[in-house]
């Protein structure tokens, strides 16, 4: 059974069709790319999957359950996490605090216990330890006590990934994880994404403009243009597809 | 006509968007800036038109240093930008949008004449004169954005991704019109993701990668080079 | 770990007990007279109000302009319970807080969907509506107010409640639930994508803040003999806001310091009340333009940790 | 029935004053997304300028009226320049707190200068009353209505048909795009403050004439209510402010007459909360979506 599938998913903004009739399929442990030129509707797809916006029509099935109309936090609780294209860290908090917040799903103590600090010390210690472990995996341990805003762009993107990982997802949505990274950082990111998928046994769906990254690590790629799927397949198939070349490079006027 | 010398632009803390970027645009040319998303194309245009301040470097337009001028003064100098995503005033009518393009001009007769010219160039806009601009289709909005910029009688017209989100047929039409505008005497600096199409109408081009110019040549040469393809689709 | 916790908390314990003892002893010796003591009580009430509003405005980022309304609910509940039903004071404190918390729930549920300035205006509106309702309620004396003859509020109660407010709100903020609130302030959309039920936590913070505003109201009612609707208007809400803003939106110690400073300034400027308001307003403008984070920003005062076991080469300092 | 129509008349004259103040709120909100808390106090300053002009300078109505408008226009521009312009890119709440500060500064600055005592406004208009079979309409009420209508029509023409008005609308929609048209965004904002404040000044003088008394805190409640009026009509929308103002005035008059005048203020806020919860864009507004 597919981990994620969408059925004729569409989104219309004030008469403009941002996404139309999208059908995505993602299996367990897949690493899939979602690409397309600027304005093709990729982020809109992520927003619909993660519950940030409600699709105009269509369905999202995740892990055997219809999650189309669930609020964002419930979708996260069911095991889907995402990062944001325009980085949405909790800027004035430290990196460690950012990640600790993301362990929210696993907090078991009550409001009353929190107010009175009753038996929460070991819970808190566990959360801190898990958060540090995660930062270690992403190579951010030495940044744990830095304010998130003061990190470099590349590091901020990594913190976003760490934070998404902390919700312990089955499916990770990465929105342009390499944007603003230098080639060296991008290379490291590629290795990291592969490693995360193996070690944490999860599926990844990523939007990315850096074709080296997408072609380098994705097994399957879906290409969107004008909100429609124009191609699907392995990196080689997609790269050779004339419609894709046209969508990216365009055709000549004369 | 326009000379950009070694500009450096930073956003927030430490994001170095443009690195020592230089470029030249000569009178009567169509020059295109191409490159993948995030290469710094829009940042370059925004720096030239005064929306973004460079930390160092200079922008000289027709022997006048405009590096530190506010955006509205730069329009006055004869340089107008059609921003990315069109940015038309959706709540105002098509006609009012065009009138705002001519905001700095006082010659009523000439304004009326230019308005007529814009309507001839884009007959669809003429049909929708009194409609709120927000009700136009994407292609019509792009036409309006270009028409609005033309109303300021620019010496140099800068276009930021005019093809974004438009169907291929419309893109062709827009590019043909850009060519027509150029033939009528307006110099053009064109930022495009759609590299082939941009190169097919441009005289010269600059290829940008992560805030730097990595290659510059005549458009016909760039169209044949493999690097351009790689910059988009990866090697 | 436990050892470290004790070492970090001991200085605060010493400070808390020390201040209490100093004030109790000096007042018993007559060094601090009644006038001093009422001002100290005012400071305590201001701290409770400031810290509890800071939980809503500063830590959760939900800008409320109606805090005085919750204080009013507490004050009236307290006055009614002691004057008409003869409740003991501790029960009154609890009930006053609970009543305000219930009103907080009723107001918070619908309004917390609104954002930023719209929320501010809606809470202001609710505060004013509460005030008008009290004016029209003859049972509690209408516009003339209600006389409270039992003067239960004394330094000990105020001090205990102040310390309790600070500890409870600090506990909350240091828990995962408090972190969820702060996450909402930082970025509501990102918070929801971390699995946080943002509505739940906004309402929770609002209720908790209202509860302590209610407690402050009870203390107020039994310190000043009379509660009138006019004492809990927009002006009072702004006075509390000034404490939060000057101290730092997101700093408990900032609110404590600001509450002390503002009360002292008010006392000094008693002969020139209008000048005082001019000063406040200038302070608001200047702080917003030049230091929008306020005095402390989101930082807290740290006391040096006390080292219980002397180890060689170990440094005493903040973690 | 006569009582009902009488209250409608009273409500409309009160409402036209709210509308004038609401216009300023709406214009300022439209252009910099600020609830200018100090707006009600600018109206108060307008009343005092009018008072000064008529009592000290012994000016007749119209010169005093113009002076109140001009004085408030200048005041509005100064406030924008000093307190709001440095915060152009700050969060909404920072601006809002600043505006509260400015509001208190004007109120207590005026108290400091003039004492909190209410002052009796000189009679600038004839006090004649028309009696239409039981319905009483005073010259003052008619006058207020006419002046308010004229000002609103002028403003409407200015915003809709003049170049400056088009620039204002462009700036309120998209500041960057407006700058790319050669519009000086800073001066358009300044100009908007001047206009809105001038209308508040006019309202201030009219209220002084209508109620015969003014005081430094007179701006708080009408200010808040005018804001409610602006939200009710759809904030940022000029005709919305007029509709909202008139509705508020009428609602208030009817509640005072048929329920209790003590509920007058609560009604305004109840309307506010209901509209915020049900249709936050206001009666004439369109809904917008937040970007993710």
């Amino acid at each position: 059974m597919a981990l994620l599938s969408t059925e004729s998913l569409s989104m219309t903004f004030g008469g403009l069709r941002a996404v139309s009739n999208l059908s995505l399929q993602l299996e367990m442990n897949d690493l899939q790319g979602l690409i397309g030129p600027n304005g093709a509707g990729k982020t809109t797809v992520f927003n619909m999957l993660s519950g940030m916006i409600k699709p105009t029509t269509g369905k999202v099935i995740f892990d055997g359950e219809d999650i189309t109309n669930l609020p964002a936090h419930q979708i996260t609780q069911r095991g889907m996490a995402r990062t944001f294209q325009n980085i949405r860290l909790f800027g004035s908090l430290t990196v460690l605090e950012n990640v600790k917040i993301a362990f929210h799903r696993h907090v078991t103590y009550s409001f009353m216990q929190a107010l009175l600090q009753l038996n929460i010390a070991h819970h808190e210690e566990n959360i801190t330890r898990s958060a540090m472990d995660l930062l270690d995996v992403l190579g951010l341990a030495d940044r744990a006590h830095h304010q998130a805003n003061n990190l470099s762009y590349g590091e901020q993107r990594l913190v976003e990934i760490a934070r998404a990982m902390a919700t312990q997802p089955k499916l990770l949505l990465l929105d342009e994880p390499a944007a603003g990274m230098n080639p060296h950082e991008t290379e490291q990111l590629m290795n990291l994404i592969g490693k995360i998928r193996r070690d944490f046994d999860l599926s990844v769906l990523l939007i990315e403009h850096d074709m080296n990254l997408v072609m380098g690590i994705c097994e399957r790629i879906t290409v969107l243009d004008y909100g429609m799927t124009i191609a699907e397949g392995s990196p080689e198939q997609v790269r050779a597809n004339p419609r894709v070349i046209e969508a990216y490079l365009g055709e000549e006027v004369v | 006509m326009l000379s950009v010398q070694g500009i450096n632009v930073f956003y927030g803390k430490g994001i170095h968007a443009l690195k020592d970027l230089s470029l030249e645009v000569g009178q009567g040319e169509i020059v295109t800036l191409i490159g993948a998303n995030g290469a710094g194309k829009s940042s370059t245009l925004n720096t030239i038109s005064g929306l973004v301040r460079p930390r160092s470097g200079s922008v000289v337009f027709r022997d006048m240093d405009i590096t530190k001028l506010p955006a509205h003064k730069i329009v006055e100098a004869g340089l107008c930008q059609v921003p990315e995503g069109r940015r038309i005033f959706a709540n105002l009518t098509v006609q009012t949008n065009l009138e705002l393009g001519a905001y700095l001009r006082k010659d009523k007769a000439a304004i009326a004449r230019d308005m007529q010219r814009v309507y001839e160039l884009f007959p669809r806009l003429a049909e929708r004169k009194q409609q709120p601009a927000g009700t136009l289709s994407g292609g019509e909005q792009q036409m309006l954005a270009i028409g609005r910029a033309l109303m300021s009688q620019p010496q140099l017209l800068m276009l930021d991704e005019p093809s974004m989100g438009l169907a291929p047929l419309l893109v062709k039409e827009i590019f043909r019109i850009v060519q027509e505008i150029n033939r009528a005497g307006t110099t053009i600096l064109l930022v495009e993701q759609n590299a082939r199409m941009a190169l097919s109408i441009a005289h010269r081009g600059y290829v940008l990668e992560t805030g730097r110019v990595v290659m510059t040549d005549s458009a016909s040469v760039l169209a044949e080079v493999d690097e351009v393809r790689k910059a988009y689709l990866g090697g | 770990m436990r050892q470290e916790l004790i070492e970090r908390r001991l200085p605060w314990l010493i400070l808390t007990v020390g201040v209490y003892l100093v004030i109790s002893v000096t007042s018993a010796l007559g060094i601090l007279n009644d006038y001093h003591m009422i001002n100290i009580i005012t400071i305590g009430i201001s701290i409770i109000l400031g810290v509890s509003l800071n939980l809503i405005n500063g830590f959760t980022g939900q800008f409320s302009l109606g805090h005085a309304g919750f204080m009013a609910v507490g004050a009236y509940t307290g006055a009614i319970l002691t004057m008409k039903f003869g409740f003991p004071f501790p029960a009154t404190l609890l009930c006053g807080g609970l009543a305000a918390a219930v009103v907080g729930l009723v107001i918070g549920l619908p309004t917390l969907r609104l954002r930023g300035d719209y929320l501010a205006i809606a809470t202001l509106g609710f505060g004013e509506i509460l005030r008008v309702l009290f004016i029209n309620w003859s049972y509690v004396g209408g516009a003339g107010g209600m006389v409270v003859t039992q003067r239960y509020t004394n330094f000990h109660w105020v001090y205990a409640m102040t310390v309790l407010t600070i500890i409870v709100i600090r506990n909350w903020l240091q828990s995962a639930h408090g972190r969820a609130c702060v996450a909402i302030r930082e970025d509501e959309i990102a918070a929801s994508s971390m699995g946080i039920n943002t509505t739940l936590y906004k309402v929770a913070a609002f209720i908790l803040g209202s509860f302590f505003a209610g407690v402050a109201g009870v203390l107020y009612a039994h310190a000043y003999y009379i509660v009138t609707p006019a004492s809990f208007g927009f002006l009072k809400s702004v006075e509390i806001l000034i404490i939060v803003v000057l101290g730092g939106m997101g700093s408990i110690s900032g609110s404590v310091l600001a509450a002390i400073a503002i009360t002292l300034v008010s006392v000094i400027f008693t002969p020139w009340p209008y000048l005082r308001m001019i000063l406040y307003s200038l302070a608001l403008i200047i702080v917003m333009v030049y230091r929008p984070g306020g005095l402390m920003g989101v930082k807290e005062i740290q006391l040096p940790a006390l080292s219980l076991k002397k180890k060689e080469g170990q440094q005493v300092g903040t973690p | 029935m006569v009582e009902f129509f009488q209250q409608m008349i009273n409500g409309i004259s009160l409402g036209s004053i709210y509308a004038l103040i609401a216009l300023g709120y709406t214009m300022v909100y439209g252009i910099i997304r600020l609830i200018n808390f100090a707006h009600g106090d600018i109206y108060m300053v307008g009343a005092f300028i009018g008072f000064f002009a008529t009592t000290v300078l012994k000016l007749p109505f119209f010169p005093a009226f113009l002076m109140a408008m001009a004085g408030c226009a200048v005041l509005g521009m100064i406030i924008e320049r000093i307190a709001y312009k440095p915060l152009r890119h700050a969060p909404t709440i920072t601006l809002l707190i600043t505006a509260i500060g400015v509001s208190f500064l004007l109120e207590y600055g005026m108290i400091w200068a003039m004492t909190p005592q209410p002052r009796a406004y000189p009679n600038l208009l004839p006090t004649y009353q028309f009696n239409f079979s039981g319905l009483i309409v005073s010259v003052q009420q008619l006058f207020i209505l006419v002046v308010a209508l004229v000002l609103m029509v002028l403003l409407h023409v200015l915003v809709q048909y003049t170049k400056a008005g088009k620039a204002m609308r462009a700036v309120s929609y998209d500041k960057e795009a407006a700058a790319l048209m050669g519009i000086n965004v800073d001066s358009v904002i300044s100009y908007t403050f001047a206009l809105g404040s001038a209308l508040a000044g006019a309202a201030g003088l009219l209220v002084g004439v209508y109620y015969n008394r003014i005081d430094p805190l007179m701006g708080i409640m009408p200010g808040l209510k005018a804001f409610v009026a602006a939200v009710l009509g759809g904030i940022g929308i000029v005709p919305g402010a007029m509709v909202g103002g008139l509705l508020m005035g009428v609602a208030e008059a009817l509640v005072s007459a048929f329920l209790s005048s003590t509920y007058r203020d609560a009604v305004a806020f109840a309307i506010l909360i209901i509209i915020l919860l049900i249709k936050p864009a206001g009666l004439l507004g369109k809904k917008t979506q937040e970007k993710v």
Side-chain angles (χ1 to χ4, degrees):
Chain A
M1 187 190 62
L3 177 64
L4 174 82
S5 66
T6 66
E7 288 168 23
S8 50
L9 204 58
S10 299
M11 186 69 213
T12 316
F13 293 115
L16 234 69
R17 281 214 127 170
V19 173
S20 68
N21 268 327
L22 179 81
S23 294
L24 268 179
Q25 287 275 335
L26 209 97
E27 303 296 324
M28 289 287 192
N29 218 6
D30 259 3
L31 205 173
Q32 214 184 99
L34 184 63
I35 65 171
N38 245 349
K42 304 177 298 284
T43 296
T44 306
V45 172
F46 269 26
N47 287 342
M48 286 191 286
L49 295 180
S50 59
M52 301 283 157
I53 54 175
K54 298 282 158 257
T56 319
T57 59
K59 258 200 228 172
V60 182
I61 312 286
F62 178 65
D63 209 8
E65 188 185 357
D66 184 348
I67 59 162
T68 320
N69 289 312
L70 290 185
H73 68 269
Q74 289 187 17
I75 292 179
T76 307
Q77 285 165 5
R78 279 164 174 73
M80 191 194 301
R82 69 171 292 181
T83 65
F84 295 89
Q85 186 185 353
N86 43 352
I87 302 187
R88 286 177 169 271
L89 287 178
F90 307 125
S92 65
L93 308 184
T94 66
V95 170
L96 181 62
E97 284 167 327
N98 265 274
V99 179
K100 279 166 80 173
I101 285 168
F103 276 101
H104 190 79
R105 246 184 104 177
H106 310 285
V107 171
T108 47
Y109 56 81
S110 69
F111 281 5
M112 228 3 124
Q113 277 179 292
L115 292 172
L116 305 176
Q117 281 209 352
L118 273 179
N119 291 325
I120 69 166
H122 70 280
H123 286 281
E124 286 294 300
E125 275 169 45
N126 284 342
I127 290 174
T128 309
R129 198 175 319 111
S130 313
M132 282 308 295
D133 288 349
L134 206 50
L135 288 175
D136 231 5
V137 171
L138 290 159
L140 288 165
D142 59 328
R143 292 283 186 269
H145 297 289
H146 287 234
Q147 194 184 321
N149 265 346
N150 292 341
L151 263 49
S152 77
Y153 221 52
E155 286 171 328
Q156 291 194 16
R157 293 230 175 256
L158 288 181
V159 178
E160 276 228 333
I161 296 177
R163 213 173 51 169
M165 295 292 302
T167 67
Q168 300 185 356
K170 299 183 194 112
L171 169 63
L172 186 59
L173 308 177
L174 301 176
D175 197 346
E176 296 203 25
M181 286 189 172
N182 62 38
H184 178 65
E185 286 174 317
T186 307
E187 177 114 16
Q188 285 183 323
L189 177 72
M190 283 171 70
N191 295 332
L192 184 74
I193 294 173
K195 184 171 139 70
I196 286 174
R197 179 174 64 136
R198 273 192 316 276
D199 296 357
F200 293 82
D201 191 33
L202 45 77
S203 312
V204 178
L205 178 62
L206 66 90
I207 294 177
E208 186 48 65
H209 277 284
D210 187 322
M211 288 302 151
N212 287 325
L213 188 147
V214 176
M215 302 285 175
I217 62 172
C218 291
E219 287 132 10
R220 283 174 56 77
I221 293 173
T222 302
V223 190
L224 287 189
D225 201 12
Y226 309 113
M228 281 178 287
T229 312
I230 57 164
E232 236 175 327
S234 69
E236 291 70 31
Q237 288 168 330
V238 161
R239 203 200 300 250
N241 186 319
R243 286 190 70 186
V244 176
I245 295 173
E246 198 184 304
Y248 268 87
L249 293 175
E251 33 176 352
E252 289 160 36
V253 175
V254 204
Chain B
M1 186 176 211
L2 174 76
S3 162
V4 176
Q5 290 301 331
I7 49 171
N8 281 288
V9 168
F10 292 81
Y11 292 128
K13 283 179 188 153
I15 297 163
H16 199 167
L18 297 181
K19 298 157 191 160
D20 277 323
L21 187 132
S22 301
L23 62 89
E24 302 272 340
V25 181
Q27 179 91 43
E29 277 190 306
I30 299 182
V31 174
T32 181
L33 300 183
I34 54 180
N37 218 18
K41 305 183 301 280
S42 295
S43 298
T44 308
L45 287 201
N46 288 341
T47 310
I48 296 171
S49 58
L51 294 178
V52 173
R53 291 264 163 264
R55 192 172 290 179
S56 61
S58 72
V59 183
V60 176
F61 179 63
R62 298 205 300 167
D63 301 327
M64 182 171 145
D65 187 350
I66 58 166
T67 321
K68 292 195 167 63
L69 285 188
H72 66 271
K73 290 277 178 199
I74 290 175
V75 181
E76 218 175 316
L79 214 158
C80 194
Q81 180 186 350
V82 180
E84 182 182 339
R86 312 186 265 273
R87 308 278 284 266
I88 50 143
F89 304 114
N91 54 337
L92 307 182
T93 62
V94 169
Q95 175 108 10
T96 310
N97 267 275
L98 292 178
E99 284 165 5
L100 280 165
Y103 182 75
L104 291 171
R105 296 170 59 190
K106 303 216 155 38
D107 44 342
K108 282 216 168 104
I111 293 175
R113 207 172 50 239
D114 283 352
M115 183 97 68
Q116 206 46 49
R117 228 191 82 208
V118 169
Y119 283 140
E120 276 160 25
L121 208 53
F122 305 107
R124 294 201 216 191
L125 295 185
E127 292 163 23
R128 291 166 172 70
K129 259 185 214 179
Q130 299 307 331
Q131 251 172 263
T135 62
L136 300 183
S137 74
E140 290 161 352
Q141 291 191 5
Q142 186 63 55
M143 293 172 187
L144 177 59
I146 296 174
R148 187 178 66 174
L150 285 177
M151 291 301 293
S152 71
Q153 279 188 317
Q155 309 286 319
L156 172 63
L157 181 67
M158 300 194 287
L159 297 145
D160 196 348
E161 302 238 9
S163 76
M164 195 169 99
L166 300 187
L169 260 172
L170 268 171
V171 176
K172 275 192 181 178
E173 194 178 335
I174 298 266
F175 275 74
R176 238 194 325 267
I177 289 164
V178 170
Q179 235 175 346
E180 211 176 308
I181 293 167
N182 175 251
R183 287 202 192 102
T186 309
T187 309
I188 284 171
L189 178 58
L190 170 67
V191 156
E192 249 311 328
Q193 223 192 10
N194 196 327
R196 281 193 186 165
M197 199 164 285
L199 288 172
S200 74
I201 67 161
H203 303 110
R204 291 191 302 117
Y206 291 84
V207 182
L208 265 57
E209 235 179 87
T210 58
R212 278 198 185 85
V213 174
V214 290
M215 192 187 299
T216 171
D217 213 316
S218 73
S220 50
V221 172
L222 287 180
E224 304 300 321
V225 188
D226 212 34
E227 265 81 359
V228 176
R229 209 183 78 92
K230 275 189 191 159
Y232 284 84
L233 286 177
Chain C
M1 194 73 193
R2 206 168 165 74
Q3 170 90 19
E4 191 202 323
L5 208 65
I6 294 170
E7 285 180 0
R8 259 194 298 123
R9 289 189 178 170
L10 197 59
W12 287 109
L13 185 66
I14 295 172
L15 183 73
T16 310
V17 175
V19 169
Y20 178 72
L21 288 178
V22 168
I23 295 177
S24 304
V25 170
T26 44
S27 113
L29 293 177
I31 300 171
L32 292 176
N33 58 26
D34 283 355
Y35 175 69
H36 294 137
M37 290 315 284
I38 192 75
N39 284 325
I40 287 172
I41 286 172
T42 309
I43 288 178
I45 294 175
S46 301
I47 291 175
I48 298 174
L49 290 169
V51 171
S52 57
L53 181 64
N54 208 339
L55 173 66
I56 300 170
N57 282 16
F59 288 99
T60 317
Q62 305 303 308
F63 200 84
S64 163
L65 271 180
H67 215 51
F70 301 115
M71 187 187 175
V73 172
Y76 274 102
T77 308
I80 293 168
L81 290 181
T82 52
M83 293 302 299
K84 312 227 176 196
F85 297 96
F87 266 47
F89 192 54
T92 309
L93 277 172
L94 183 66
C95 293
L98 288 177
V102 169
V103 176
L105 173 69
V106 170
I107 293 177
L109 265 184
T111 50
L112 286 166
R113 289 190 295 147
L114 303 167
R115 273 162 226 277
D117 43 4
Y118 274 56
L119 174 64
I121 292 295
T123 47
L124 187 164
F126 267 118
E128 290 297 301
I129 290 174
L130 282 175
R131 190 174 60 85
V132 174
L133 290 181
F134 284 122
I135 289 178
N136 285 286
W137 195 15
S138 52
Y139 181 69
V140 293
M146 187 172 172
V147 176
V148 182
T149 48
Q150 270 101 337
R151 203 184 153 187
Y152 286 126
T153 302
N154 56 25
F155 166 69
H156 309 285
W157 273 116
V158 171
Y159 198 81
M161 287 301 122
T162 308
V163 172
L164 183 78
T165 307
I166 294 173
I167 290 177
V168 167
I169 289 182
R170 193 207 63 121
N171 283 353
W172 174 259
L173 290 168
Q174 286 187 350
S175 75
H177 301 302
R179 281 197 299 273
C181 291
V182 176
I184 293 169
R185 170 191 76 195
E186 293 285 309
D187 189 324
E188 195 171 335
I189 286 170
S192 73
S193 93
M194 298 297 111
I196 293 167
N197 182 346
T198 52
T199 313
L200 174 70
Y201 280 97
K202 283 195 274 185
V203 174
F206 206 70
I207 290 176
L208 191 56
S210 308
F211 177 85
F212 286 110
V215 170
V218 177
L219 292 172
Y220 178 95
H222 298 86
Y224 296 99
Y225 303 110
I226 186 160
V227 279
T228 60
S231 348
F232 307 108
F234 176 52
L235 188 67
K236 184 69 192 173
S237 288
V238 172
E239 272 180 27
I240 307 169
L241 178 71
I242 290 173
I243 293 174
V244 174
V245 167
L246 295 190
M249 302 229 279
S251 169
I252 294 180
S253 40
S255 289
V256 174
L257 289 180
I260 297 171
I262 294 269
T263 312
L264 291 181
V265 169
S266 308
V267 171
I268 294 167
F269 276 83
T270 313
W272 312 282
Y274 307 129
L275 208 56
R276 174 180 76 115
M277 290 310 293
I278 293 175
L279 216 65
Y280 285 173
S281 50
L282 282 175
L284 267 190
I285 299 169
I286 291 167
V287 165
M288 282 300 105
V289 173
Y290 293 102
R291 200 183 162 85
L295 197 66
M296 299 283 299
V298 294
K299 296 204 165 52
E300 298 290 353
I301 290 175
Q302 309 271 357
L303 290 185
L306 280 187
S307 180
L308 293 179
K309 281 183 223 150
K310 288 265 158 73
K311 284 181 212 156
E312 269 179 74
Q314 193 191 334
Q315 282 211 320
V316 178
T318 52
Chain D
M1 209 55 200
V2 172
E3 170 71 0
F4 177 77
F5 283 110
Q6 183 66 58
Q7 290 308 328
M8 288 294 283
I9 291 168
N10 296 348
I12 286 170
S13 42
L14 182 64
S16 55
I17 289 170
Y18 287 156
L20 281 182
I21 312 173
L23 282 170
Y25 264 119
T26 260
M27 289 165 70
V28 167
Y29 191 89
I31 212 141
I32 58 169
R33 303 285 176 275
L34 162 70
I35 297 172
N36 185 12
F37 250 94
H39 194 66
D41 303 298
I42 291 176
Y43 145 93
M44 174 274 293
V45 172
F48 273 87
I49 293 176
F51 178 76
F52 173 79
T54 48
T55 55
V56 180
L57 301 181
K58 310 269 184 238
L59 293 176
F61 181 84
F62 266 107
F65 188 70
L66 292 179
M67 199 170 148
M69 288 181 74
C72 287
V74 173
L75 178 66
M77 284 162 78
I78 293 173
I79 289 172
E80 193 274 329
R81 179 70 195 75
I82 294 175
Y84 302 150
K85 197 176 168 202
L87 297 172
R88 192 75 41 91
H89 302 288
T92 333
I93 291 306
T94 309
L95 259 171
L96 187 71
I97 297 171
T98 313
I100 293 175
V102 173
S103 163
F104 276 70
L105 185 62
L106 290 177
E107 287 163 15
Y108 289 91
M110 188 59 90
I111 289 186
W112 198 42
M114 303 291 290
T115 78
Q117 256 58 52
R119 275 149 211 274
Y121 226 66
N123 254 329
L124 298 175
L125 295 171
T127 47
Y128 185 78
Q129 293 185 328
F130 300 99
N131 192 329
F132 303 102
S133 53
L135 275 185
I136 294 166
V137 183
S138 70
V139 172
Q140 292 177 345
Q141 284 180 320
L142 282 177
F143 199 80
I144 286 173
L145 188 62
V146 169
V147 171
L149 281 178
V150 168
L151 286 177
M152 285 187 236
V153 169
L154 277 180
L155 181 76
H156 184 73
V157 169
L158 193 138
V159 170
Q160 286 297 319
Y161 302 107
T162 67
K163 204 166 171 177
K166 285 169 188 164
M168 278 167 57
R169 285 192 288 157
V171 170
S172 87
Y173 192 78
D174 185 337
K175 287 184 191 48
E176 275 197 355
L180 289 177
M181 302 293 101
I183 296 169
N184 185 341
V185 174
D186 286 339
S187 48
V188 170
I189 291 174
S190 183
Y191 177 74
T192 308
F193 266 88
L195 257 172
S197 306
L199 292 177
L205 185 128
L206 290 177
V207 155
V209 171
Y210 190 43
Y211 288 125
N212 281 322
R213 52 167 273 168
I214 59 171
D215 70 88
L217 298 180
M218 66 185 270
I220 301 175
M221 265 301 146
L224 289 173
K225 286 177 189 163
F227 171 75
V228 177
V231 173
L232 176 63
I235 195 148
I237 304 165
V238 168
M242 302 182 203
V243 172
L246 289 173
L247 281 178
M248 282 287 299
V250 170
E252 204 179 304
L254 293 181
V255 169
S256 309
F258 297 108
L259 212 60
S260 158
S261 67
T262 45
Y263 280 111
R264 209 174 53 186
D265 297 346
V267 164
F269 291 107
I271 291 179
L272 171 78
I273 286 158
I274 291 167
I275 198 88
L276 282 183
L277 297 179
I278 293 173
K279 201 168 184 301
L283 294 178
L284 304 187
K286 294 189 192 80
K287 89 171 187 207
T288 50
Q289 210 174 11
E290 207 199 351
K291 271 190 190 155
V292 180

